[in-house]
Amino acid sequence: MAPMSGSALAARRSALAAALGGSSYDALLVTSRENIRYLSGFTGSNGGLLVTSGGECVLATDGRYLTQAAREAADLECLEARSVLVTLVERAAARGLRGLGFEAHALTVEQLGVLERAAGDDVDPRAAGHLVERQRVVKDAAELEVLRRAFEITDAAYGEVLGQLRPGTTEREVAWSLTDAMRRRGAEGPAFDIIAAFGENSAVPHHSPTDRPLARGELIKLDFGAKVDGYHADMTRTAVCGPAADWQREIHSEVAELQADLRNSATAGVVPSDLDAVMRAWLESHGRQVMHGLGHGVGLAIHEDPFLTPSSTADPLAPDAVVTIEPGIYLPGRGGVRIEDTVIVTADRPVVLTTSPRELVEV
């Protein structure tokens, strides 16, 4: 794993400190693993950060990870802690930081009890919402560089495996082949559980691969991505084994038309839920069932803000946000088509990270 530059990490912490300075919080207790990594570079499974409105940041972890912390977060003070929560609350109390925000979405009920008991009368812990996640929406130059590498690997793996598909190949074998192809090119592994779906299984949006073999005339839906330095790629393409039937060409053409329009519309200032509404209206007007939202952000998590769904409360899309555009048409018992690209939002035409052909390839 290539370490993130110290200057990039420091800039992220400074931005968070500035946000805290304009709030009612004196400090933020960061316990989400993705947020810890984003702010410090530390990737251990047990850790926490205390970030103050004045710009101080301290990392706490247990003895298993001290060497790792010294390597990955060399510019931070690191506290050895049996209980990360207790140690960081004690630091907050010692610094006179009474208003302590915490990530309610990243704590269990039991951990919240530990936090509240440690706070006592000296610290006032309050749920702070998704402060770091909102900051993570806009990717910096270092993140975009890593994401480009992840998508280059994803596209290359797709091209390799697509050429190997034959009748009799099973869904699981395709998933394994994609994993192998991505790892050989430098990925940590797949960004999420690969979806390889043949025939009627392609009509299931999140199908899990089985030992079902591929047969001629069947749709092939592949949804996968590479994980590189903690960052996730996400792409879906749909092909067909042998000559395509008219109904397969029809739904693929419909999805391709819709997806291209929505992809080109993902520009700065657009409200995420509005884009999703365009997809829903189009599908319903063509007599098609709506099975899922239009897309989501990607980065250190495979699904992160902004979400392109009806219930999204995200701000309008900002330049350098990275989002998927993935409409689909699904005919239960027959087959389905999804085309998914991931794009970098700009003020004008989005930058498309997924370059694999979108046409209905016959293999």
Side-chain angles (χ1 to χ4, degrees):
M1 181 194 72
M4 191 67 69
S5 73
S7 58
L9 296 170
R12 296 172 191 173
R13 296 193 294 269
S14 294
L16 177 59
L20 290 171
S23 72
S24 61
Y25 304 107
D26 298 317
L28 179 67
L29 180 61
V30 180
T31 51
S32 158
R33 288 184 65 179
E34 289 87 1
N35 291 345
I36 293 167
R37 181 171 188 163
Y38 175 78
L39 294 168
S40 72
F42 178 66
T43 64
S45 65
N46 182 37
L49 296 175
L50 182 69
V51 183
T52 75
S53 59
E56 180 185 4
C57 182
V58 59
L59 168 68
T61 187
D62 64 69
R64 297 171 297 168
Y65 296 107
L66 292 178
T67 300
Q68 180 179 340
R71 182 180 68 251
E72 294 178 340
D75 58 337
L76 294 184
E77 178 185 2
C78 182
L79 306 176
E80 182 176 3
R82 290 188 62 183
S83 172
V84 166
L85 292 174
V86 171
T87 296
L88 291 177
V89 171
E90 289 174 347
R91 168 57 70 94
R95 292 288 195 270
L97 304 169
R98 179 165 178 78
L100 179 64
F102 65 88
E103 298 179 319
H105 56 286
L107 288 182
T108 66
V109 173
E110 181 178 3
Q111 289 172 326
L112 178 59
V114 171
L115 171 59
E116 291 175 335
R117 288 191 295 273
D121 297 328
D122 299 321
V123 175
D124 178 22
R126 287 170 281 148
H130 295 67
L131 294 178
V132 184
E133 284 84 358
R134 287 202 292 271
Q135 185 175 326
R136 282 169 44 199
V137 167
V138 175
K139 271 52 180 179
D140 59 33
E143 292 177 290
L144 292 176
E145 179 183 353
V146 176
L147 282 166
R148 286 189 176 95
R149 294 208 317 268
F151 280 97
E152 287 171 0
I153 291 171
T154 300
D155 281 315
Y158 176 72
E160 175 184 325
V161 173
L162 187 67
Q164 299 172 354
L165 290 174
R166 299 290 185 274
T169 304
T170 70
E171 293 171 339
R172 279 201 179 97
E173 287 170 343
V174 172
W176 293 334
S177 294
L178 286 169
T179 298
D180 178 65
M182 290 187 290
R183 286 189 182 277
R184 282 190 280 105
R185 289 172 169 82
E188 298 170 29
F192 52 93
D193 291 340
I194 292 172
I195 298 170
F198 301 158
E200 72 282 354
N201 290 342
S202 63
V204 180
H206 275 197
H207 172 71
S208 296
T210 68
D211 290 325
R212 184 199 189 284
L214 178 63
R216 286 183 62 81
E218 293 185 331
L219 288 171
I220 304 161
K221 185 182 69 188
L222 302 177
D223 185 346
F224 71 104
K227 185 178 181 181
V228 175
D229 289 349
Y231 284 79
H232 300 71
D234 195 358
M235 179 181 79
T236 306
R237 293 292 186 264
T238 305
V240 66
C241 183
D246 289 344
W247 70 270
Q248 294 169 330
R249 292 188 180 279
E250 178 185 354
I251 63 172
H252 191 280
S253 176
E254 289 183 7
V255 173
E257 175 188 347
L258 175 60
Q259 201 264 355
D261 288 344
L262 291 168
R263 183 179 70 238
N264 293 331
S265 299
T267 55
V270 173
V271 176
S273 58
D274 289 349
L275 266 184
D276 177 85
V278 172
M279 177 194 73
R280 291 171 187 272
W282 194 99
L283 290 172
E284 290 168 357
S285 70
H286 286 71
R288 304 302 188 184
Q289 186 178 5
V290 180
M291 300 284 280
H292 53 72
L294 174 60
H296 54 86
V298 293
L300 282 170
I302 186 57
H303 298 110
E304 62 181 42
D305 287 334
F307 289 92
L308 283 63
T309 62
S311 59
S312 173
T313 58
D315 294 331
L317 294 178
D320 292 333
V322 177
V323 298
T324 69
I325 304 294
E326 48 180 307
I329 292 176
Y330 309 95
L331 306 180
R334 298 183 71 187
V337 171
R338 181 163 67 247
I339 301 173
E340 175 187 20
D341 286 310
T342 301
V343 305
I344 304 173
V345 175
T346 71
D348 191 12
R349 195 177 184 88
V351 176
V352 184
L353 292 169
T354 35
T355 60
S356 295
R358 299 176 191 89
E359 65 264 25
L360 184 60
V361 177
E362 299 175 336
V363 298

